[in-house]
Amino acid sequence: GITLTVALGIVALIVVASSFTLGLLSLIDTTRLQAKVLAENAGAALMFQDAKSAQELLQPLRNLPQVHDAVLYTPSGRVFARYEPQGHGVHLTPLLATKEHQSVSLTHVDAAQPVVFEGQARGMLQMSVSLDGLYRQTLWQLLALAAAALLAFAASRVLLERLNASVLEPLADLDGLMERVSDDADYGVRAQPSRIAELNHLALGFND
């Protein structure tokens, strides 16, 4: 039981950790690509200071519930346009860097992408994507593994009972016969044949 528990625990840990890591890497890459596409499309709006077009550009993000914030900044760090779902804004701190950047916290993946138009930097786009979905996926995976572990324990219990009935009990009976011969000098006892070749060989040897 202890061996099976340890083995299942190690397997579960490896599976969950691998799945979470792969999911996180995929989310980081997806967030980076989404930020890059938005930044490429926002260049003209920032160049011509068209705040309405910039705001409309961010609105399709409402179809991505995992996006909790997206902000377009001017080169000076002023907020030019923002997508902030009600109750989800994370209030990103503007990054005035000129290179793309990704960071991970316990709750979000943040991505920053420079907005370049006609070869000149026009501003910065930042996005924040929630890890809630990844955590939910990991929780469901843990529940599935727990159910699988319970089934494995039930199956191992049945197999152990069958093992006791077919191997351990006949061995215990043979040991009892040996004690009768040793303690009572009862040489009339006989061991019963077994369907297991090794046990049957022992029984024949005892009887002889």
Side-chain angles (χ1 to χ4, degrees), residues 4 17 46 70 84 93-94 100 108 117 120 134-135 176 186 194 204-205:
L4 181 60
L46 276 167
E84 183 180 9
T93 301
E100 66 177 84
H108 292 84
F117 189 72
Q120 294 186 9
L134 186 58
Y135 285 134
D186 183 0
S194 174
L204 290 176

Side-chain angles (χ1 to χ4, degrees), residues 21-78:
T21 301
L22 290 174
L24 181 60
L25 291 175
S26 177
L27 184 62
I28 292 172
D29 192 52
T30 299
T31 302
R32 180 183 65 81
L33 291 175
Q34 290 173 340
K36 187 173 183 178
V37 170
L38 285 174
E40 289 178 354
N41 292 329
L46 276 167
M47 178 180 178
F48 296 107
Q49 295 294 295
D50 189 348
K52 181 179 179 181
S53 296
Q55 193 65 44
E56 290 175 352
L57 176 68
L58 298 178
Q59 288 312 302
L61 293 175
R62 65 180 180 273
N63 298 315
L64 301 174
Q66 69 272 22
V67 177
H68 281 191
D69 210 348
V71 186
L72 273 170
Y73 294 101
T74 64
S76 63
R78 178 177 61 85

